[in-house]
Amino acid sequence: MDSLHKRLEQEAESAGYHLNADVQFTKGLVKSLLVNERRYGYWACPCRLASGDKQEDLDIICPCDYRDPDLNDYDACYCALYVSEAARKGEKTVGSIPERRPPPAERQQRAQRQPGGMFGLSLPIWRCKVCGYLCAREQPPEVCPICKSKRDRFERFIEAART
Amino acid sequence: MTAVHIPGKKSGHIMLFALSTCGWCQKTKKLLDDLGVEYYYEYVDHLHGDERERAIQEVAGWNPSGTFPTLVINGERCIVGYKDGEIREALSVA
């Protein structure tokens, strides 16, 4: 658990993110990630009730799809594992924040929405749902070069033109 | 349901729906412990099948977003999230 905490800290800092400086609180969350890994097989968000179905839980695998907007708006992610630089330095305090993840019915609707192929691109554009990294290639990268999320966290963002 | 009972000072009926893995849920539970009040809690992530569904439905009845922690006081007031001041204030008048 200590080594994972250290690893996450290093990865976060090298990518421009910050872990919560409250080490006791943060280590509790790291421990919970390991509990969820054992329970579900993946790092389900400790502060959300996972369904156990990976496909359904993809958006709440840590780091979740909602981390970056929450950092922008509240200086912390939903669990407060990740915080803004200001919060890390103690210039801002973080507290429990509202849930941004849409309710199940809305999530389903969004999943069914198809992007349009209006730009005449030769390749589709893939977007990392965690950090927003974009790339134009046949398939998304195995691991996001920016935030290290796995391939299944990418969405087809802009469709290539049909030839 | 098999909510865990924590004995203490009577301050109304306090029911905490929580996740065992959630930092804010742990903070809420610790606040109740520190206040020394009697309360019940349920770790919804520990429940399975029908029991889990029932708990989720009950939480959704109080808090449509279905998030944790959800604290229900006297079956009439609900506090969502770890809100130190709000919880203290609610329990002092409960």
Side-chain angles (χ1 to χ4, degrees):
Chain A
M1 198 248 295
D2 286 341
S3 66
L4 177 59
H5 176 251
K6 213 166 156 189
R7 195 190 97 200
L8 286 179
E9 182 111 65
Q10 280 166 355
E11 282 180 4
E13 290 297 330
S14 72
Y17 292 97
H18 312 281
L19 290 194
N20 194 327
D22 181 341
V23 172
Q24 202 194 341
F25 183 81
T26 304
K27 283 191 175 172
L29 290 169
V30 170
K31 194 173 159 196
S32 293
L33 286 176
L34 295 173
V35 167
N36 281 348
E37 180 171 37
R38 209 166 45 230
R39 211 184 261 172
Y40 306 111
Y42 47 90
W43 284 1
C45 170
C47 295
R48 294 178 167 110
L49 186 62
S51 71
D53 174 346
K54 190 175 181 188
Q55 211 51 40
E56 217 174 288
D57 292 341
L58 273 180
D59 60 326
I60 55 162
I61 292 178
C62 185
C64 69
D65 291 4
Y66 314 104
R67 174 185 67 174
D68 289 22
D70 279 340
L71 284 174
N72 285 337
D73 291 351
Y74 303 107
D75 290 279
C77 72
Y78 189 64
C79 287
L81 174 62
Y82 290 94
V83 299
S84 69
E85 191 174 2
R88 170 88 188 179
K89 285 185 184 155
E91 290 161 5
K92 285 201 171 146
T93 51
V94 300
S96 132
I97 60 172
E99 172 63 297
R100 167 189 304 274
R101 186 190 200 204
E106 207 179 306
R107 287 205 299 277
Q108 228 170 3
Q109 266 181 354
R110 283 187 192 199
Q112 283 161 2
R113 225 178 286 156
Q114 294 293 327
M118 57 172 71
F119 294 99
L121 300 174
S122 58
L123 289 167
I125 307 243
W126 297 90
R127 174 180 175 273
C128 171
K129 289 162 87 173
V130 174
C131 73
Y133 167 73
L134 298 176
C135 59
R137 47 196 277 182
E138 290 294 352
Q139 293 298 324
E142 216 166 19
V143 173
C144 174
I146 303 302
C147 73
K148 315 301 176 208
S149 293
K150 296 204 180 110
R151 168 174 287 175
D152 55 9
R153 307 299 298 281
F154 276 77
E155 64 179 349
R156 229 176 230 274
F157 189 58
I158 303 176
E159 205 58 77
R162 284 188 191 86
T163 48
Chain B
M1 287 215 293
T2 49
V4 181
H5 175 229
I6 304 293
K9 201 165 64 208
K10 304 262 179 225
S11 194
H13 188 274
I14 303 170
M15 179 69 210
L16 172 66
F17 293 94
L19 301 178
S20 67
T21 49
C22 163
W24 298 118
C25 296
Q26 295 312 318
K27 275 190 184 280
T28 306
K29 200 161 163 293
K30 182 163 186 309
L31 173 62
L32 296 176
D33 289 337
D34 290 347
L35 292 171
V37 293
E38 176 187 50
Y39 70 97
Y40 297 83
Y41 75 90
E42 185 97 78
Y43 280 148
V44 180
D45 57 323
H46 282 175
L47 302 177
H48 298 281
D50 288 350
E51 240 185 1
R52 183 165 168 146
E53 267 319 299
R54 257 201 308 277
I56 290 172
Q57 288 308 320
E58 194 171 343
V59 170
W62 290 104
N63 161 21
S65 62
T67 56
F68 302 91
T70 289
L71 186 68
V72 181
I73 300 162
N74 286 334
E76 55 191 23
R77 181 167 177 190
C78 162
I79 299 176
V80 177
Y82 172 66
K83 310 263 169 63
D84 186 294
E86 211 177 306
I87 294 170
R88 284 175 192 273
E89 180 261 353
L91 295 188
S92 67
V93 296

